Amino acid sequence: YLCRLVINSKHEADVLKLKPFATGKVIAGENGVTRKVEHVSVMEVDITEWFSSELVRGASLEISSMYALVDHPERQVEAIRRLNKSGAAGLVLCYVGTVLKDVSQELIDVCNELDFPLIVMFSLVGYKEIIRAVSDALLGLDNQKLRDAIDIYEYVTELLMESRNNSSLVMSLEHMLEKRVMYFDQNAEPIYISGFSRARIQMVERYIKNHFSEFLLHHSSQTISCPGIDEQLYLRPIYNKAFYFGTLVIVGCRFSDLDKIAIAQICNALSISSLSQISISQQQEKLRTDFIRDLLTIHLSEEDIFRRSTAIHCDISQVEGCIVLDICNFKQLIKQYSEEKIASLKCDFYELVQSELSALGDRSICCVLSDKVVILHIQTPKQTILQVARSLQRVLKRKNIEVSAGIGYRCKSVRDIQTSYETARLALQIATSGFAPSTCVDSEEFPAYMMLLQTYQADPGLVPQLIDRLLAPVRQYDQTRNGALEETFRALLRCDMNYNLVAEQLFFHKNTVLQRKQKIVSLYKEDPFQLPLRRQFEFAFILEGLYVRKGSSDSGDI
């Protein structure tokens, strides 16, 4: 092919196959003959002195007789370099032998060096004939491009009218692009995977989850490299103003104009298709859940917060604080009941909370996050946040659902809602670790714990490091002797040195407990069971129970 006019893989034309070029020949820069031509223009000025972006546009096929440079071979070479730098498609030399006596070897060499096509016309073909032929070809390709775009619009509309599902739409895009395509839903679960291996799919899943906020908030596309795949992956989020539906993944990131139209139309179709599958109530529920989840877990600007709260008819500025409700002994229930029974329990739990809030005339909003219900409590003169939490507990208990409740710090602005949620979760941990299972704990009644929370959040690694340092002698002994001293150590402090109770809990004889205690004492310079040393071990285990063990197990809830 010689200096093709390329629109996409299906529509292209060769410049030298156009009628005026019958006597033309590429004499240099043959390796660059597939450059794209988008314009045609005449260059009869000395562009080494008058060069500008307005004078020479990118992807332009330039026509010249070198009249302004005929006596300056070195400027001819510089002109070629400038044309190449501007992105020009090539140079057509006319009237060779008449204006320019011959083409210098230096000119040929620089064109070969830059892979810049140099086409020589050996007859008296006028500029007008060349310009008309190339312009007509470009116009014809533009018209074809427009017809193809209309075909895509009609095709995608037909797919939607036939109520095709999302997988069918993605498959259609794969055929149009002739590229492999994947599609993941809003939870990064694969819907259409185009024959990729599980390892490749999981890699993309992880990337989407790690960059979820970018897709959700900024709707920004991403281009990434994937081990084992030669081409890059193009990730495009599917969304409308209210919802994020999922992510389209295309192998390869170079698209023609027609490809871009196809991608845009399929993305729109996926949005429409996904939206049509959601009822109005489900839409509101999803809007509310997504908003609360994002408000509590990622950084939203105040503009985003108020915009999205308006969509769910919530006066977010009136939120007093968060309430977190948790089903008591939920892990045991999972072991006892089937998945269907557990799903039904969670559904009843949430519906009862919603119903009771409505009965109280409360304007608060809530959503399910894993096995918990989170409530953004709106201030009301009728009931305090503590009264609402206790009222919900009583109603749920009457329905045989026992819950513990944590109440967070009170909010002074929308920026405090995340802090209120974190302190509500901590209050819930305090409730489940030190009180009756179905207690209600207000974080503002435990300022010391909250201060510890702030310290822990500043450096979460401090608590595990502290535990490792304090228990190092015991753990080293257990590793070499398999002595189970750490288990006994913890039980003795937990049971307030009641040997009989420790023996009962660990299924040991009382003498075994005493022997292990003596061994533990021998591993330390001073007796760790005597004050004040005992207090630091007890304190460390409390921190671990609040922030490390429970914190790590709850981390997947949100």
Side-chain angles (χ1 to χ4, degrees):
Y1 290 100
L2 301 177
C3 217
R4 294 185 298 181
L5 297 169
V6 180
I7 296 299
N8 61 37
S9 59
K10 296 180 181 178
H11 303 295
E12 57 188 34
D14 297 331
V15 169
L16 293 188
K17 289 185 178 179
L18 299 176
K19 186 176 179 181
F21 291 89
T23 62
K25 181 179 180 181
V26 177
I27 66 168
E30 292 185 359
N31 290 335
V33 294
T34 56
R35 295 191 183 203
K36 186 176 181 180
V37 177
E38 294 180 344
H39 322 281
V40 59
S41 64
V42 174
M43 183 197 77
E44 288 297 12
V45 296
D46 183 354
I47 66 169
T48 63
E49 293 184 359
W50 298 95
F51 183 81
S52 69
S53 57
E54 289 77 17
L55 186 64
V56 180
R57 292 191 292 170
S60 175
L61 181 63
E62 296 293 330
I63 307 171
S64 178
S65 68
M66 289 286 188
Y67 178 81
L69 302 171
V70 67
D71 296 323
H72 305 283
E74 72 287 350
R75 291 189 184 180
Q76 296 172 22
V77 170
E78 179 60 24
I80 293 296
R81 293 191 182 279
R82 295 204 176 197
L83 287 174
N84 182 69
K85 189 174 181 179
S86 74
L91 175 66
V92 179
L93 275 179
C94 294
Y95 309 120
V96 175
T98 303
V99 178
L100 186 68
K101 299 303 180 183
D102 54 34
V103 181
S104 69
Q105 187 60 46
E106 290 80 7
L107 196 62
I108 293 173
D109 290 344
V110 74
C111 288
N112 285 328
E113 173 194 336
L114 300 174
D115 293 331
F116 185 81
L118 181 61
I119 305 167
V120 172
M121 306 299 291
F122 291 106
S123 66
L124 296 178
V125 176
Y127 294 178
K128 182 179 179 180
E129 296 172 71
I130 298 172
I131 292 172
R132 178 177 292 173
V134 176
S135 297
D136 288 348
L138 285 168
L139 181 60
L141 290 175
D142 282 343
N143 289 337
Q144 182 60 54
K145 176 182 172 181
L146 179 61
R147 287 193 292 271
D148 288 341
I150 293 172
D151 287 344
I152 289 175
Y153 296 146
E154 292 179 348
Y155 176 60
V156 175
T157 302
E158 185 179 335
L159 290 175
L160 284 172
M161 295 296 290
E162 292 175 357
S163 300
R164 297 293 186 93
N165 59 30
N166 289 347
S167 294
S168 299
L169 291 169
V170 177
M171 188 183 300
S172 299
L173 178 64
E174 193 169 52
H175 291 318
M176 284 190 279
L177 299 182
E178 297 179 353
K179 296 177 181 287
R180 297 174 72 187
V181 181
M182 291 185 278
Y183 183 63
F184 296 81
D185 68 13
Q186 68 272 19
N187 297 315
E189 294 295 326
I191 302 301
Y192 183 84
I193 54 178
S194 191
F196 280 94
S197 69
R198 186 58 195 164
R200 299 282 178 267
I201 295 167
Q202 289 175 340
M203 188 281 297
V204 179
E205 279 183 53
R206 285 194 298 272
Y207 186 89
I208 293 173
K209 289 176 179 177
N210 291 339
H211 294 77
F212 178 75
S213 62
E214 294 175 36
F215 290 131
L216 179 66
L217 297 179
H218 307 298
H219 304 151
S220 57
S221 300
Q222 303 280 336
T223 300
I224 65 172
S225 298
C226 176
I229 298 178
D230 293 336
E231 293 188 86
Q232 290 182 306
L233 298 181
Y234 174 74
L235 280 65
R236 171 88 172 251
I238 308 299
Y239 61 91
N240 67 8
K241 290 182 179 179
F243 293 104
Y244 163 69
F245 297 112
T247 306
L248 198 64
V249 181
I250 303 171
V251 177
C253 56
R254 293 185 178 182
F255 306 112
S256 67
D257 291 340
L258 205 59
D259 289 341
K260 293 174 183 177
I261 292 172
I263 293 169
Q265 287 305 303
I266 289 295
C267 286
N268 290 337
L270 286 168
S271 296
I272 295 169
S273 173
S274 300
L275 197 61
S276 67
Q277 297 168 23
I278 305 174
S279 68
I280 294 177
S281 61
Q282 286 176 318
Q283 290 178 33
Q284 288 297 317
E285 184 67 30
K286 185 179 186 317
L287 274 174
R288 183 167 53 250
T289 300
D290 287 350
F291 172 62
I292 295 176
R293 180 188 297 273
D294 297 340
L295 180 62
L296 300 180
T297 59
I298 63 178
H299 176 74
L300 294 175
S301 67
E302 287 197 15
E303 181 183 353
D304 284 328
I305 291 172
F306 285 109
R307 176 178 58 80
R308 293 177 63 180
S309 66
T310 301
I312 60 173
H313 309 293
C314 170
D315 188 355
I316 198 71
S317 64
Q318 295 300 310
V319 171
E320 181 183 5
C322 290
I323 303 173
V324 178
L325 302 175
D326 189 21
I327 299 174
C328 296
N329 302 315
F330 188 70
K331 290 182 180 178
Q332 282 70 34
L333 295 177
I334 291 176
K335 296 176 182 178
Q336 295 175 14
Y337 300 118
S338 65
E339 289 186 15
E340 185 178 353
K341 176 73 173 177
I342 292 297
S344 176
L345 173 64
K346 290 168 67 174
C347 183
D348 292 343
F349 174 32
Y350 179 55
E351 289 179 354
L352 283 168
V353 172
Q354 280 190 312
S355 176
E356 179 61 11
L357 287 174
S358 178
L360 292 172
D362 202 302
R363 295 176 295 130
S364 303
I365 59 172
C366 61
C367 74
V368 175
L369 297 181
S370 185
D371 57 319
K372 297 175 177 59
V373 169
V374 178
I375 302 166
L376 301 187
H377 179 258
I378 304 291
Q379 288 179 325
T380 172
K382 295 182 180 179
Q383 286 192 311
T384 66
I385 189 170
L386 185 59
Q387 289 172 329
V388 169
R390 287 175 174 166
S391 176
L392 290 170
Q393 279 186 308
R394 289 193 296 270
V395 169
L396 290 165
K397 188 171 183 177
R398 287 198 293 269
K399 298 295 183 178
N400 298 317
I401 301 176
E402 284 206 44
V403 299
S404 52
I407 300 173
Y409 269 7
R410 309 310 185 261
C411 302
K412 296 180 181 178
S413 72
V414 293
R415 286 289 176 212
D416 296 331
I417 294 176
Q418 274 194 2
T419 301
S420 181
Y421 170 66
E422 290 296 336
T423 51
R425 289 183 71 195
L426 177 59
L428 197 60
Q429 292 176 25
I430 295 170
T432 55
S433 64
F435 299 92
S438 59
T439 192
C440 179
V441 177
D442 187 344
S443 61
E444 293 198 343
E445 297 300 319
F446 295 87
Y449 281 106
M450 301 305 135
M451 183 185 69
L452 293 174
L453 170 65
Q454 292 174 354
T455 303
Y456 172 72
Q457 288 178 328
D459 189 351
L462 285 176
V463 175
Q465 291 171 16
L466 172 64
I467 297 293
D468 287 341
R469 188 165 66 251
L470 289 175
L471 293 180
V474 170
R475 288 179 171 175
Q476 289 172 7
Y477 183 88
D478 285 347
Q479 288 174 1
T480 56
R481 307 289 183 86
N482 193 25
L485 294 186
E486 181 178 345
E487 179 184 32
T488 307
F489 196 174
R490 290 176 179 273
L492 282 165
L493 295 182
R494 185 173 61 248
C495 298
D496 197 24
M497 306 305 290
N498 185 325
Y499 302 120
N500 290 326
L501 183 57
V502 172
E504 181 182 333
Q505 288 187 358
L506 300 183
F507 304 102
F508 295 148
H509 192 277
K510 179 181 176 181
N511 289 340
T512 303
V513 176
L514 288 170
Q515 291 170 2
R516 289 188 176 181
K517 176 183 177 292
Q518 291 173 354
K519 187 61 186 177
I520 293 169
V521 172
S522 71
L523 295 175
Y524 291 89
K525 293 180 180 180
E526 297 184 43
D527 188 344
F529 297 103
Q530 296 296 318
L531 296 175
L533 287 181
R534 174 178 164 180
R535 285 285 181 260
Q536 73 169 350
F537 284 96
E538 291 175 333
F539 183 62
F541 292 152
I542 289 172
L543 287 175
E544 182 186 46
L546 283 172
Y547 303 124
V548 180
R549 291 182 175 178
K550 291 183 178 294
S552 60
S553 65
D554 286 350
S555 62
D557 292 352
I558 301 302

